Amino acid sequence: MNKYFKLFFHRVLKDLKQKELLPLKLLFFMHSSTILVLYPYLTIHMRALGINVEETAIMSAVTPAVVILMPPLAGMIADKIGNFRVLLASFSAIGGASALLLLLVPVGRVTITFPDRLVFGLSCETNSTPLLSLHQEYPCTTIDPDKILDTEIKLESCGFACQAILNQNYTNTIIQTRSYDVQIYDIQNNATLTYTYKLSKDDIHEPEPISKAKNQKTLKNNEKFRTSVRKLSKNSFYFPTVSMYNFSCDMSKEPAVSCVLGSRDQFEKFQRILSPWNAGIKQQIIEHNDFEENRQIYRIEYINSKKKDNITCLENSAMSGKHISVTIPINTTNSTVQHLDLGSCSHRCLATSPRKTVCSNQKTVIELDMSLTFWSYLSVRVFVGIISGTSFAMFEGAVIAILREHKADYGLQRIYATIGGMISSPLSGWMIDYASRGKGYTDFRPIFFLYAALKLVSGFLMLFINLEFKKAASSVITEVVTVLKKLELIALFASCIMLGCAWGYIESFLFWLIDDLGGSKSLMGLTVTVGGVVGIPLLVLSGPIVKKIGHANVISIGFVFYAIRLLGYSLIYNPWLCLIFEAMESITFGLSFTAAVTYAAKLSTVTTDTSVQGMLGGLYYGVGKGIGSLIGGYLIEPIGIRHTFQVFSVATIIVGSIYFSFYHIYMKKHPSEGTDITKKDVPPKAPSDFDLKAMEIADIQSDLPVVYEDAMCNPAYETTEAEDEENEENEKDHHAMKTIVNGQIRQNQGET
């Protein structure tokens, strides 16, 4: 174990001594930080705009499919140009600015969360069963209409309910009234009692309008039960009368239960039930009058979990022989006051119950202009994808070119990309949670502005990378076609498509799953950090690992761990458990994709690096991700998100087994012919005599150390400490021999 620790730190320190690579490390850090600030959260951003799972799948598939040609095309252009710093920097800056356009996309669907309690009108007619009437202002789909539902009933207030068919203007006047008179006419004594009730401004409930700028809204009940006027149905209005009478039931008699909606003196004769109480209610068949009034009636079947043979209402002696009416003052245009007289009033109480115990629907979705949302979002994503795909191909090509020039390790440079993601992704999650605090909806704006700023900084830094040594290709297409004839490269591309499918599905729907499990945005960002912490040691040792067991075997291991990850996600119910499987990303993406990139570099040539890397990136991030997102999105609806994870797990292990078997049965025995990329693009002519020009060319070629060939064929290769010491001795001997040869050349020149 001490040997590996020593090798770990030796490789890191040695890599840091190469000052020419410091700008590349900074670029890796910035590039990864920028991507992981925004891209992992785009799926839940689409969800927040009202884009459903099928539309998300289409979006995630179409965007890579449209821009699939850009990475290879950009790679060919870059290979043709040679030095393309300004072009790379420009695309980076434009990509950051264009992402801000996503903030202008309007909300297409608004998710409405209903209040957590139902408000019933409680009626108790003489010799009848107590009934609960529910105004379907916030539609309730009964959990099971044929069964008795156990729920809690809390009495809120009592008053009168008056029936009146009025137009909208009069309805608003009643709801917003600041006073009303309750008149009780005693028919027998021909006397009228009038009770006047004054309301404050706070007693008038004004429903909040649904904003098109917010993706979700939680509705709230009017909690002023004792003072506020409200509708109990389409044409029924409730007026509270504090302390005039109340509702209670006698629980002392067996088996019958007697309930009274009356004055307090009637309650003194029996054992009162205290509010709240447990009750069993059953939905009644909707009659024509209920349909017209937009209400649902429930009958109370039992109270306090004890099934009673008979629950009846006693006569309300206080209201016997009385006629009740309610008068509302109305201001007219000529400043005179008229009164609206509402008759047909009966005693009624308000009661509340938890919605989740009665209704199966806790939310609803209101569609605004989904067509505008979908197409505008798709257009911006495609444009951003084209710019980002082009920038990615150029960046990877520049990285490989610099690593070839300085004989450096690709995995060691990716460490700084991992560190960048470890910092930026949880920072983004925290920024979203902080910005959304107290707003009732998810605010994504901070990460879009941060993404744009980091893109501009990355573009500026790209102006300082040195690519003067990268020679332009003379015939890019011809050279690329030659490279693509290698069976190993074709097999590599095919495996990357499947790896991209697995990665694309996880990328698109893991945060969706975490969101369903109730995980925070900070947890989502932390998943990237966990994968990065575990991945750094593997990236440092990626060179020796790949050199030891081979590119194809490392890629096959990536298939196995992708299958384990996908299966693991399908089995968790605690969102924090996803961190266990996110740690495996160090292998599935960090190590296996590093092996894929270096494998492609090994099979390509100096002048086709960017083109081949562009194709690899296009197949992995484009075709693979698109297929994974599309198939995954359409499978989620019929079989569920968990079973879809399991389907991808099985598919991944099958394809991985095929690739592993094909490599060991065929490709290993018939390897593709390598390209001697240790030589210059134009090989020198064989010297016909001992002239100065031929000697200088031979001298330049002899400057390349022996280890350079392995390093170039495998950019993930790195020497051990013993090899370093041996190479240093060889270089000293080589330098001494070179000095002798140069002295001999000068002597020959003098004699000439």
Side-chain angles (χ1 to χ4, degrees):
M1 184 62 68
N2 185 44
K3 175 183 176 182
Y4 291 105
F5 276 110
K6 190 175 181 181
L7 178 61
F8 176 90
F9 290 108
H10 169 72
R11 288 169 56 77
V12 173
L13 293 175
K14 183 184 175 185
D15 181 69
L16 286 173
K17 291 178 181 178
Q18 293 183 269
K19 296 181 180 179
E20 302 86 353
L21 298 178
L22 291 179
L24 187 62
K25 291 175 172 57
L26 181 59
L27 273 176
F28 257 114
F29 179 86
M30 291 298 301
H31 188 260
S32 180
S33 298
T34 304
I35 292 175
L36 294 176
V37 156
L38 179 63
Y39 275 79
Y41 300 94
L42 285 179
T43 299
I44 56 174
H45 178 245
M46 287 188 278
R47 188 181 196 180
L49 291 176
I51 300 173
N52 61 30
V53 65
E54 292 90 353
E55 292 162 343
T56 300
I58 294 172
M59 201 88 67
S60 299
V62 170
T63 303
V66 172
V67 304
I68 182 61
L69 295 177
M70 290 309 300
L73 182 60
M76 291 182 181
I77 294 173
D79 283 331
K80 191 69 178 177
I81 296 174
N83 193 341
F84 47 89
R85 289 180 303 177
V86 175
L87 189 61
L88 180 58
S90 301
F91 272 100
S92 178
I94 294 172
S98 59
L100 295 176
L101 295 175
L102 291 173
L103 292 174
L104 302 179
V105 178
V107 173
R109 296 186 183 94
V110 181
T111 301
I112 304 295
T113 302
F114 295 125
D116 59 354
R117 295 190 71 83
L118 299 170
V119 179
F120 291 107
L122 172 62
S123 60
C124 190
E125 302 298 331
T126 305
N127 296 325
S128 69
T129 303
L131 298 177
L132 298 170
S133 65
L134 176 64
H135 183 203
Q136 293 280 41
E137 179 183 12
Y138 305 141
C140 171
T141 302
T142 306
I143 294 175
D144 192 338
D146 299 326
K147 292 184 178 180
I148 298 174
L149 304 176
D150 189 68
T151 187
E152 177 193 86
I153 301 294
K154 181 181 179 182
L155 191 68
E156 302 290 355
S157 72
C158 291
F160 294 100
C162 303
Q163 197 80 10
I165 300 176
L166 304 169
N167 61 36
Q168 189 63 39
N169 290 334
Y170 281 116
T171 297
N172 293 336
T173 300
I174 293 174
I175 298 299
Q176 298 174 9
T177 187
R178 298 291 292 272
S179 67
Y180 57 90
D181 295 332
V182 177
Q183 298 176 342
I184 302 176
Y185 175 64
D186 189 337
I187 299 175
Q188 184 177 358
N189 298 323
N190 194 24
T192 301
L193 292 175
T194 301
Y195 299 88
T196 300
Y197 293 88
K198 299 290 184 180
L199 281 69
S200 67
K201 184 178 179 180
D202 294 336
D203 293 327
I204 300 174
H205 180 69
E206 299 262 350
E208 293 184 19
I210 297 175
S211 173
K212 294 183 179 181
K214 297 180 180 180
N215 49 35
Q216 51 187 315
K217 180 177 178 61
T218 300
L219 300 177
K220 296 180 180 180
N221 286 322
N222 178 5
E223 299 291 337
K224 301 286 185 178
F225 297 108
R226 298 172 62 86
T227 55
S228 184
V229 178
R230 71 185 66 218
K231 293 178 72 173
L232 287 181
S233 65
K234 182 179 179 181
N235 298 302
S236 179
F237 302 88
Y238 172 78
F239 300 91
T241 55
V242 181
S243 302
M244 185 175 290
Y245 57 91
N246 211 324
F247 175 87
S248 189
C249 296
D250 184 2
M251 300 298 295
S252 60
K253 298 179 181 179
E254 294 286 351
V257 175
S258 300
C259 298
V260 176
L261 202 165
S263 57
R264 290 185 177 181
D265 57 354
Q266 292 180 274
F267 304 148
E268 296 175 356
K269 301 176 183 179
F270 58 76
Q271 179 184 346
R272 294 180 56 185
I273 183 175
L274 299 177
S275 176
W277 67 85
N278 178 265
I281 64 175
K282 185 176 181 181
Q283 177 180 323
Q284 302 299 289
I285 298 174
I286 299 178
E287 298 179 353
H288 177 72
N289 189 40
D290 298 325
F291 179 79
E292 290 294 326
E293 286 293 312
N294 191 27
R295 69 188 176 194
Q296 176 62 58
I297 304 298
Y298 295 86
R299 185 177 65 192
I300 298 179
E301 298 287 343
Y302 60 83
I303 294 178
N304 277 356
S305 301
K306 292 183 179 180
K307 185 83 182 224
K308 301 296 182 179
D309 293 335
N310 189 18
I311 302 178
T312 58
C313 292
L314 301 176
E315 180 182 1
N316 184 351
S317 59
M319 293 293 112
S320 178
K322 307 288 194 304
H323 174 78
I324 301 98
S325 63
V326 175
T327 303
I328 306 292
I330 300 176
N331 295 322
T332 61
T333 55
N334 56 6
S335 299
T336 60
V337 178
Q338 297 182 354
H339 291 83
L340 177 64
D341 192 0
L342 302 178
S344 303
C345 300
S346 59
H347 44 275
R348 197 70 51 86
C349 293
L350 289 183
T352 61
S353 178
R355 183 181 183 90
K356 62 182 180 181
T357 60
V358 180
C359 309
S360 60
N361 59 324
Q362 310 303 316
K363 298 179 180 180
T364 189
V365 176
I366 297 177
E367 190 162 313
L368 302 175
D369 191 348
M370 197 58 230
S371 178
L372 174 62
T373 300
F374 179 83
W375 289 109
S376 58
Y377 196 92
L378 179 60
S379 300
V380 176
R381 280 291 302 273
V382 168
F383 180 73
V384 174
I386 290 174
I387 300 299
S388 300
T390 305
S391 176
F392 170 81
M394 291 183 175
F395 178 76
E396 285 293 313
V399 167
I400 296 299
I402 294 172
L403 294 180
R404 285 185 183 276
E405 174 68 11
H406 299 288
K407 303 179 283 293
D409 188 300
Y410 180 81
L412 286 171
Q413 314 314 311
R414 282 190 60 86
I415 293 174
Y416 304 94
T418 301
I419 295 173
M422 288 167 52
I423 297 172
S424 65
S425 191
L427 175 63
S428 294
W430 176 82
M431 291 174 69
I432 293 172
D433 285 337
Y434 183 81
S436 306
R437 194 174 300 169
K439 291 184 177 179
Y441 66 97
T442 307
D443 190 349
F444 290 92
R445 289 178 298 173
I447 65 172
F448 279 95
F449 289 115
L450 180 59
Y451 175 82
L454 291 176
K455 270 287 189 181
L456 290 173
V457 174
S458 296
F460 176 75
L461 292 175
M462 287 172 184
L463 293 174
F464 295 93
I465 60 176
N466 182 17
L467 293 172
E468 298 296 338
F469 56 84
K470 182 172 170 59
K471 186 175 180 179
S474 57
S475 179
V476 177
I477 296 178
T478 303
E479 295 187 23
V480 169
V481 170
T482 302
V483 171
L484 289 178
K485 291 180 180 179
K486 298 179 180 180
L487 185 59
E488 279 189 80
L489 192 61
I490 300 300
L492 172 63
F493 284 168
S495 67
C496 282
I497 291 176
M498 188 59 218
L499 289 173
C501 285
W503 176 79
Y505 178 69
I506 293 174
E507 182 79 4
S508 297
F509 296 107
L510 174 59
F511 282 10
W512 193 294
L513 174 65
I514 295 175
D515 198 35
D516 286 342
L517 295 177
S520 66
K521 307 303 181 294
S522 299
L523 171 60
M524 296 176 188
L526 193 60
T527 60
V528 179
T529 302
V530 170
V533 170
V534 179
I536 287 178
L538 286 176
L539 286 174
V540 173
L541 300 175
S542 61
I545 291 173
V546 172
K547 187 172 185 292
K548 182 71 174 177
I549 65 177
H551 295 87
N553 290 330
V554 172
I555 293 171
S556 299
I557 292 173
F559 275 108
V560 173
F561 276 87
Y562 257 128
I564 296 173
R565 280 183 72 191
L566 289 160
L567 180 63
Y569 293 136
S570 71
L571 301 176
I572 63 172
Y573 287 89
N574 184 338
W576 286 91
L577 293 179
C578 73
L579 298 179
I580 298 174
F581 303 101
E582 274 300 287
M584 298 180 187
E585 189 178 19
S586 58
I587 298 175
T588 57
F589 184 78
L591 186 60
S592 64
F593 190 69
T594 297
V597 169
T598 55
Y599 199 4
K602 172 185 175 181
L603 297 172
S604 63
T605 65
V606 177
T607 54
T608 58
D609 270 336
T610 312
S611 301
V612 172
Q613 293 300 327
M615 292 178 191
L616 183 71
L619 293 173
Y620 191 95
Y621 295 104
V623 175
K625 181 182 179 182
I627 294 173
S629 300
L630 184 63
I631 294 177
Y634 273 92
L635 284 178
I636 287 175
E637 187 66 26
I639 69 175
I641 192 169
R642 295 182 181 277
H643 288 140
T644 306
F645 269 104
Q646 293 168 3
V647 168
F648 272 85
S649 177
V650 173
T652 302
I653 198 65
I654 291 175
V655 175
S657 300
I658 294 173
Y659 176 76
F660 180 80
S661 302
F662 181 67
Y663 174 78
H664 283 276
I665 293 173
Y666 182 81
M667 286 193 299
K668 195 172 183 180
K669 298 178 181 178
H670 303 84
S672 300
E673 292 183 5
T675 304
D676 187 5
I677 53 178
T678 63
K679 297 180 180 179
K680 296 298 179 182
D681 296 328
V682 181
K685 296 180 181 179
S688 57
D689 53 11
F690 194 75
D691 61 355
L692 176 61
K693 184 175 180 180
M695 191 63 197
E696 287 176 348
I697 294 176
D699 187 42
I700 292 173
Q701 288 183 325
S702 67
D703 278 343
L704 298 172
V706 178
V707 71
Y708 186 48
E709 182 174 356
D710 285 331
M712 293 294 283
C713 291
N714 176 13
Y717 173 79
E718 184 72 20
T719 57
T720 62
E721 289 182 278
E723 289 174 326
D724 287 337
E725 295 174 359
E726 182 180 350
N727 289 333
E728 288 176 4
E729 293 296 329
N730 290 337
E731 287 179 8
K732 290 179 181 179
D733 295 340
H734 174 75
H735 182 70
M737 183 62 69
K738 179 181 174 182
T739 303
I740 296 172
V741 172
N742 287 339
Q744 185 65 42
I745 292 173
R746 286 192 293 270
Q747 182 180 351
N748 293 338
Q749 286 179 332
E751 293 176 356
T752 302

